[in-house]
Amino acid sequence: MTDDRVTGRAFLTDLTARQLLAGYARGDFTPVDAVRAVLDRIETVQPLVNAFVRTDAEEALARAEASAARWRAEEPRGLLDGVPVSVKDVFLQRGGPTLRGSLAVRSRGPWDVDAPAVARLREHGAVFVGRTTTPEFDWKGVTDSPLTGVTRNPYDLSRTSGGSSGGSAAAVALGAAPLSIGTDGGGSVRIPASFCGVFGFKPTYGRVPLHPASPFGSLVHAGPLARDAADAALLMDVISGADARDWSALPPAPGLRGALAAGADGVKGLRVAYSPSFGGQVAVRPAVASAVRRAVGRLAELGAYVEEADPDITDPVGAFHTLWFSGAARLLQPFGPERRALLDPGLREIGAAGERCSAVDYLAAVDVRAELGRRLGRFHATYDLLVTPTLPITAFEAGRETPRGSGARRWTGWTPFTYPFNMTRQPAATVPCGVDGDGLPIGVQLVAARHQDALVMRAAHALYESGAARIPAPYEPGAAPGGS
């Protein structure tokens, strides 16, 4: 059960990372208390949502004990000392296998290398409580895999958590650690964050170093999932530290925490373009459209200059597929027939499609990407922020790549607002802004020009500070709606 020791306001598993750190500093509770509460929470929710590949309670408690000793000595290490954090099972983490949702990955070691973001977390004293689920090699926008099965939505167990960072989003929503790190190649942080009612941020490409490089190239960004924008800014200030292994990484930027100091006034004077449907190109469900419009209205109330305006783009899905499927082909190139037989059939399909793409096809897709980036660059010369729905729908049936009856062939058919900004490498975030008639979360997406990560975080933080990002909590274990 959830730890029933309280700070006077909330259970330990309900606290943000910032609240945990403040409690450690005051001596109200210790990292051991917090980590035990989170491990108990994981034990309770894991059979229901299947958000974790594995946990290591012994190691987590050992790290928590060491952190508690540092706090007692008033010598905490870094920005996250003692904070429970989960890690998507695509990041290398020394001490255990990184299986990437696949039966085809050999688990034998040695596993003695940390990915850059994991290394920075370790340096800042974070406590790793578990590895979260992913579709096989991150290939799709929902989270199910041959290795771990289906990850479910905290708001309705019959629905998907989204993906590919679905385990991370579900874990954060349920209090199974306040912070997680995920990857986003076409929406894979923002999609599950929107479906699960948490905050997700895809920074400018290169802001968070990656190693090894993704087979999907510069489409893939690493970023945080958190309870709110302020916690995500704290996590970003840790994981965006330099790492020489990523030749495409950006130089360290000024801390994002300082960008949030203006609170709800952070959007005053910003020029905001509201695009409800990309100029009628996307059919958006009425409940989603209404919730997003209310969030946009709140930005205007907070002092932003808002007008309805659409970027000059057409759906780049064909070019995205060429880039994405080619990456899948490269990923699977070393796999022989026996290992390929173990793969998700959908991953085999897109890998085969990628094998049929020529170098000329690939370069033509690169040209589309460059033109898209040019058009969005010009758009942001006029507007500081672009606001859209994160997704045109809410969470659908678990275990499916696409909603039943949608006619969509691939996951890109229902994610038209997310993958374009992976092609342009822009920062983008999703903020919960309401629920639909079934009680399922809705997200609003905030996008800025490349390198303007602070603008996105300021606007997101303003929505949280104003109360616009408050939505009902997911179910309590034992009283869950939906199927099991």
Side-chain angles (χ1 to χ4, degrees):
M1 297 298 293
T2 301
D3 193 307
D4 61 3
R5 288 166 288 186
V6 298
T7 65
R9 293 178 300 171
F11 296 113
L12 290 177
T13 53
D14 293 330
L15 300 184
T16 64
R18 305 181 322 283
Q19 290 169 329
L20 288 175
L21 290 165
Y24 300 160
R26 291 191 303 265
D28 294 343
F29 45 81
T30 72
V32 175
D33 298 326
V35 170
R36 286 191 186 280
V38 165
L39 291 171
D40 287 348
R41 184 69 164 174
I42 293 172
E43 185 176 356
T44 300
V45 303
Q46 173 64 8
L48 301 172
V49 297
N50 187 33
F52 286 86
V53 178
R54 67 179 182 276
T55 58
D56 188 339
E58 184 177 350
E59 180 187 353
L61 289 170
R63 289 183 61 82
E65 292 278 7
S67 173
R70 292 191 292 270
W71 280 103
R72 285 194 298 270
E74 299 183 354
E75 296 177 348
R77 176 198 299 167
L79 298 178
L80 291 174
D81 203 349
V83 174
V85 176
S86 65
V87 175
K88 183 180 180 181
D89 195 38
V90 296
F91 292 95
L92 295 178
Q93 183 177 334
R94 70 176 191 248
T98 299
L99 300 177
R100 299 176 174 88
S102 183
L103 295 170
V105 174
R106 299 181 177 92
S107 61
R108 65 177 181 270
W111 299 96
D112 54 5
V113 174
D114 282 335
V118 175
R120 303 294 85 78
L121 286 168
R122 196 183 297 277
E123 291 164 3
H124 282 260
V127 176
F128 303 117
V129 294
R131 305 277 288 178
T132 56
T133 52
T134 175
E136 194 164 32
F137 297 107
D138 291 356
W139 81 268
K140 59 184 175 180
V142 294
T143 301
D144 57 72
S145 75
L147 179 68
T148 59
V150 176
T151 298
R152 298 180 179 276
N153 191 293
Y155 283 80
D156 184 335
L157 297 179
S158 71
R159 312 291 183 112
T160 179
S161 64
S164 63
S165 305
S168 290
V172 170
L174 289 167
L179 301 174
S180 191
I181 52 172
T183 54
D184 189 314
S188 290
V189 163
R190 291 160 291 154
I191 293 165
S194 181
F195 276 0
C196 294
V198 300
F199 180 74
F201 180 53
K202 178 187 76 69
T204 298
Y205 177 76
R207 181 62 60 211
V208 178
L210 284 169
H211 172 79
S214 169
F216 299 105
S218 60
L219 292 172
V220 175
H221 308 213
L225 296 101
R227 294 275 178 75
D228 58 26
D231 259 17
L234 173 62
L235 182 51
M236 277 295 299
D237 283 353
V238 171
I239 63 175
S240 59
D243 196 292
R245 294 173 292 176
D246 184 352
W247 66 272
S248 65
L250 297 173
L256 287 179
R257 287 170 297 153
L260 308 188
D265 292 333
V267 298
K268 188 171 292 185
L270 291 184
R271 302 162 300 169
V272 175
Y274 167 44
S275 180
S277 62
F278 278 172
Q281 295 181 72
V282 182
V284 179
R285 287 187 184 170
V288 173
S290 296
V292 172
R293 188 174 291 275
R294 286 194 298 271
V296 171
R298 183 58 60 90
L299 291 174
E301 292 169 5
L302 294 172
Y305 299 110
V306 178
E307 64 177 288
E308 194 164 315
D310 301 304
D312 178 24
I313 60 174
T314 54
D315 187 357
V317 67
F320 180 84
H321 280 170
T322 296
L323 299 169
W324 194 253
F325 296 173
S326 296
R330 178 69 183 98
L331 167 71
L332 302 183
Q333 193 174 32
F335 287 37
E338 290 185 7
R339 291 177 71 196
R340 288 191 180 225
L342 300 173
L343 299 174
D344 183 327
L347 177 56
R348 289 201 302 268
E349 284 182 19
I350 69 165
E355 290 172 351
R356 295 191 292 271
C357 293
S358 69
V360 172
D361 295 332
Y362 188 90
L363 291 174
V366 171
D367 286 344
V368 171
R369 185 179 189 182
E371 175 62 13
L372 183 65
R374 184 189 69 81
R375 293 188 179 201
L376 266 298
R378 290 184 62 183
F379 185 80
H380 283 290
T382 302
Y383 298 102
D384 299 304
L385 287 175
L386 169 63
V387 180
T388 74
T390 306
L391 297 164
I393 60 174
T394 51
F396 53 89
E397 181 183 350
R400 295 182 55 86
E401 183 184 347
T402 61
R404 193 180 299 275
S406 68
R409 177 73 181 97
R410 298 260 77 106
W411 60 273
T412 45
W414 52 271
T415 60
F417 293 114
T418 58
Y419 59 78
F421 303 110
N422 292 80
M423 298 180 75
T424 60
R425 309 185 186 187
Q426 293 172 246
T430 181
V431 178
C433 63
V435 295
D436 69 4
D438 293 324
L440 297 168
I442 295 165
V444 58
Q445 180 174 233
L446 311 174
V447 185
R450 283 194 314 134
H451 312 297
Q452 297 301 316
D453 301 59
L455 277 179
V456 173
M457 296 297 278
R458 277 171 50 194
H461 184 58
L463 288 175
Y464 277 98
E465 289 289 285
S466 72
R470 293 197 189 104
I471 64 171
Y475 72 85
E476 282 299 311
S484 60

